[in-house]
Amino acid sequence: MRKKLSFALTLGILLGFSGLQQAHGAAVKTISFQAEGWADNWYSLYINGKKVGEDAVPITTVRSFNSTVIKFTASYPFTIGVLAKDYTENASGLEYIGQSNQQIGDGGFVLQIRDLSTMKIVASTNKGWKSLVINKAPTNPTCAKSSNPLIECKFSNTAIPNNWSASTYSDSKWIYATEFSQGAVGVKEGYFDIAWSDSAKLIWSSDLNLDNTILFRTTVKNAGQAASSISSETSSNLAVLSSDISATGALNKSATCDGLGSSPQISWSTPSQKVASYIVIMDTVPGPLRPGEVAGVDHASLVLYNIPGTVHNIPSQNSSVGTFGQSFKGKFGYEAPCSQGPGQKVYTVSVYALSVVLSLPQGSATSSAITEAIQGKVIASGKLSMTYARQ
C-alpha cells in the first residue's frame, strides 16, 4: 500500500509540474555545451554556481600548460564563472625559489564555449568579462631576487565572495578584464591544440605578473544574442609559432649556416574544418646578388608538403614528417639561411591547410609550383616572420 501511495503521489507531482510548465509556456530546453580552455597555469569552471570541471593538470606540476575540454549541460540564459590561478610556490608570489631563475611568474587565460547543438561558439573570453583579484603578490616586486622571499615579500588577499559564480550574484563592483596578446602572455604547450575563434581573447586582470588568483564572470543570455555579441568564428587565419625564435623575433643561430643548420620547430593552430594536408614554406626576400649570380624566382629555405591533416607540429631537424620539395638551391630538405650583406634579413614561414593531398611530383615541387598548385584548395593559412643578422 505504501509503495502504491508513494507512486501515486510521485505521479501526481510530476503531472502537476508538467501542467504548470504548460500553463507558463514550453518546457525549458537543456542543451549540451563544450568549454575549450587554456590557462597559465590552472583554472576551474562553474556554470550557474555549480562546478562542472577543472584543468586536468595540477597547478603544482612543473610547466603545467595544457588545453582542457569540459562538457556540461545548461539552458539559456546561464552564468559562467572561472577561478584562474597562476602558479606560485608560496605566499611570496615567486616561483623557482632558490634557483638561478627565481622570478615573479605571469598568468593568462582563454576560454570559448561551443553550443553542441549548432557547433557555434556562443561565448568567449574578452574585455567584457568581469574580474576580481583574490591574491596579489608580491606587492613589493623588488623582493623578486631576495634570498628569503617568504619573509621579505608582501602579499594581499581578498576573501572569495559567497556564491560568486551563481547567476543571482551581483558583480557590479568588479572591474572589467584586460585583454593581452599571445606574445605578452607567452603562450606555451597546449594553446595551439585548439582552433580558437577570433572572438576568444587571452584575458587576466590589469596585471599579468602580480595578480595570481582571479575570478571571472559573464552571462550568456541566449543563443541569438550570444552569437551577435561576439565576432563571427573564422578559420581563415592559422596562428603559427616556433620555439626556435627568440622573444625579440630573431631566428635562433642554430637554424642558420652560422650554427648547426638545423631546420626550426614549427607549429600551428588547427581550423574547425577537416584538413586533408598541410604545406609549410619558409621563404625570404633575397639579398643583393653576388657577382655572376642570376636572380631566381624561388628563394625558399624549406618546402614541405603533404603533411598529414592530423599533424600541427614539425619538430626541429625534421626528417620524417611530410614530403620535402626543392629549396632555392634544388635541395630536397632544409637549406639553412646564409644571407649575405649587412643588416637583418626577414624570413617568413607560411602554413597552408588544404582540402586535398597534392599529387605534385617531388622533382617539380618548388615553392612557386606549389603556390600555383594550391590555388582554390586552401582552407586556412597563417604566417610567422622572423629576422636574422649575420655577425
Side-chain angles (χ1 to χ4, degrees):
M1 176 66 70
R2 183 175 298 171
K3 290 183 178 179
K4 291 182 179 179
L5 181 61
S6 176
F7 173 76
L9 181 61
T10 302
L11 180 61
I13 292 172
L14 290 174
L15 288 175
F17 179 68
S18 175
L20 188 62
Q21 282 185 313
Q22 292 175 5
H24 289 81
V28 176
K29 183 180 180 181
T30 300
I31 299 170
S32 294
F33 295 90
Q34 177 171 290
E36 302 157 357
W38 179 91
D40 181 354
N41 293 89
W42 182 92
Y43 76 99
S44 56
L45 177 66
Y46 297 76
I47 301 296
N48 293 333
K50 179 182 178 181
K51 184 176 179 179
V52 296
E54 65 179 39
D55 194 329
V57 177
I59 193 172
T60 52
T61 305
V62 176
R63 295 184 63 81
S64 55
F65 312 112
N66 68 292
S67 59
T68 301
V69 173
I70 299 171
K71 293 186 177 181
F72 63 92
T73 58
S75 55
Y76 295 107
F78 60 90
T79 297
I80 306 167
V82 172
L83 169 63
K85 292 184 178 182
D86 180 36
Y87 173 70
T88 61
E89 287 192 32
N90 50 42
S92 69
L94 304 186
E95 57 187 7
Y96 306 116
I97 294 175
Q99 302 179 43
S100 59
N101 58 338
Q102 176 177 309
Q103 62 183 4
I104 299 172
D106 56 2
F109 171 70
V110 60
L111 181 81
Q112 62 186 22
I113 292 183
R114 191 182 303 274
D115 183 328
L116 293 179
S117 66
T118 63
M119 295 307 292
K120 298 294 185 181
I121 301 297
V122 297
S124 55
T125 46
N126 57 44
K127 60 185 178 182
W129 286 45
K130 287 296 192 73
S131 69
L132 178 67
V133 178
I134 299 301
N135 173 260
K136 187 182 190 77
T139 56
N140 55 330
T142 54
C143 76
K145 297 302 180 183
S146 169
S147 59
N148 196 358
L150 193 55
I151 299 298
E152 296 185 16
C153 293
K154 302 181 184 302
F155 62 89
S156 172
N157 284 337
T158 298
I160 296 179
N162 292 330
N163 300 318
W164 66 273
S165 60
S167 57
T168 54
Y169 178 83
S170 174
D171 57 21
S172 59
K173 295 184 178 179
W174 292 22
I175 64 171
Y176 285 104
T178 303
E179 295 179 4
F180 293 91
S181 66
Q182 295 177 13
V185 172
V187 294
K188 306 170 184 70
E189 295 89 343
Y191 179 83
F192 291 110
D193 290 345
I194 293 174
W196 297 109
S197 164
D198 279 356
S199 63
K201 308 298 183 182
L202 286 153
I203 64 171
W204 205 245
S205 61
S206 60
D207 197 319
L208 274 177
N209 299 93
L210 302 185
D211 297 339
N212 303 313
T213 302
I214 317 289
L215 300 181
F216 295 108
R217 275 176 55 95
T218 196
T219 297
V220 182
K221 295 182 179 179
N222 59 57
Q225 289 181 352
S228 63
S229 65
I230 61 177
S231 59
S232 60
E233 182 181 11
T234 176
S235 60
S236 61
N237 296 313
L238 298 177
V240 183
L241 190 70
S242 175
S243 60
D244 286 308
I245 300 177
S246 72
T248 61
L251 178 64
N252 286 349
K253 183 178 178 179
S254 61
T256 73
C257 69
D258 296 319
L260 299 174
S262 304
S263 62
Q265 180 272 340
I266 301 167
S267 58
W268 55 89
S269 58
T270 55
S272 55
Q273 299 100 317
K274 184 177 180 180
V275 177
S277 68
Y278 288 99
I279 288 173
V280 174
I281 296 176
M282 180 175 170
D283 209 339
T284 188
V285 176
L289 295 174
R290 294 183 177 93
E293 284 187 331
V294 178
V297 295
D298 294 304
H299 317 109
S301 295
L302 174 66
V303 176
L304 196 61
Y305 69 110
N306 287 350
I307 301 167
T310 56
V311 172
H312 54 86
N313 177 67
I314 303 298
S316 177
Q317 303 184 59
N318 171 55
S319 61
S320 58
V321 179
T323 301
F324 283 100
Q326 293 186 49
S327 70
F328 72 99
K329 287 190 175 181
K331 176 182 177 180
F332 293 103
Y334 179 64
E335 188 70 48
C338 199
S339 61
Q340 62 206 59
Q344 290 186 336
K345 303 299 185 297
V346 178
Y347 298 89
T348 301
V349 174
S350 300
V351 179
Y352 302 94
L354 304 185
S355 58
V356 300
V357 175
L358 292 182
S359 58
L360 193 66
Q362 187 179 31
S364 303
T366 61
S367 61
S368 57
I370 285 182
T371 301
E372 182 178 348
I374 65 176
Q375 296 301 312
K377 304 176 179 67
V378 178
I379 295 172
S381 63
K383 294 180 183 293
L384 174 67
S385 293
M386 62 202 81
T387 61
Y388 186 72
R390 299 196 68 189
Q391 300 300 317

